[in-house]
Amino acid sequence: GPLHFSTRRQSCLYSPENEESHRPTALSDCIPGFILVHIVCMQRHLANRNPERAMDFATELVRLLPFGASCIDKAGWPITSAQILGYYRRFRRAFAAGPYSLQGKLDMLERGQYATQREMASEAGSPDIDPWPNWLLREMLWQVGSEGDQRQQLG
């Protein structure tokens, strides 16, 4: 549908390999906005079957959260910091269950290169290099109201 199309086309300028890309975030007064864009970018990379790149955004997401949590929770944003943290935890668990060949074998630079290869293969319509099962990719998607999110909200 249209949401899937839009998500796959989301511009995601953040690059974990480039420290200069962090500067706009550090100078911004809208960290919650950056957090939301990171969540959308994670969805984009998951839709493109590239969870390694989504993990880079997840790492940045959790780094930004302490700086934006109070604003997110008090200023009318459509999500809460507890939902974001619950999502991050669920994403990390699902990622850790991924293909054995990647676990603990790639440093950040190698993971970025591998993710770029996967993204190029996906855009070219080529078969995945090391496919992730669909059920695991679905587990990594944003799901408001998941068990972990509810536990965070109630606690």
Side-chain angles (χ1 to χ4, degrees):
L3 179 60
H4 181 72
F5 179 80
S6 296
T7 300
R8 291 183 77 125
R9 300 293 186 274
Q10 170 65 39
S11 173
C12 298
L13 298 176
Y14 163 75
S15 169
E17 296 87 16
N18 180 2
E19 280 299 313
E20 290 298 312
S21 67
H22 295 283
R23 189 161 295 156
T25 303
L27 300 175
S28 173
D29 61 351
C30 190
I31 293 202
F34 277 100
I35 289 172
L36 288 175
V37 168
H38 276 58
I39 291 170
V40 171
C41 287
M42 289 172 68
Q43 308 317 292
R44 172 196 169 194
H45 290 296
L46 291 169
N48 288 333
R49 303 187 60 79
N50 196 343
E52 296 84 9
R53 181 59 84 193
M55 174 56 80
D56 294 331
F57 281 86
T59 301
E60 182 69 2
L61 177 74
V62 80
R63 187 187 74 78
L64 289 171
L65 187 57
F67 302 104
S70 64
C71 181
I72 288 171
D73 292 336
K74 296 177 183 172
W77 289 89
I79 58 176
T80 66
S81 60
Q83 287 174 321
I84 295 167
L85 187 57
Y87 172 56
Y88 173 77
R89 289 176 177 159
R90 186 169 44 77
F91 178 90
R92 288 288 306 210
R93 279 192 303 270
F95 187 85
Y100 177 76
S101 62
L102 288 179
Q103 304 307 313
K105 294 189 178 182
L106 300 177
D107 64 22
M108 188 167 161
L109 179 60
E110 291 170 324
R111 191 173 71 231
Q113 292 167 345
Y114 181 79
T116 300
Q117 289 174 351
R118 286 176 56 88
E119 190 166 349
M120 288 171 47
S122 174
E123 289 173 1
S126 300
D128 282 330
I129 295 169
D130 190 7
W132 287 67
N134 286 334
W135 67 268
L136 201 51
L137 291 171
R138 278 194 301 275
E139 181 62 24
M140 289 187 238
L141 291 171
W142 175 265
Q143 301 167 11
V144 176
S146 71
E147 183 178 330
D149 296 336
Q150 290 174 0
R151 195 168 44 246
Q152 286 292 325
Q153 290 173 347
L154 298 175

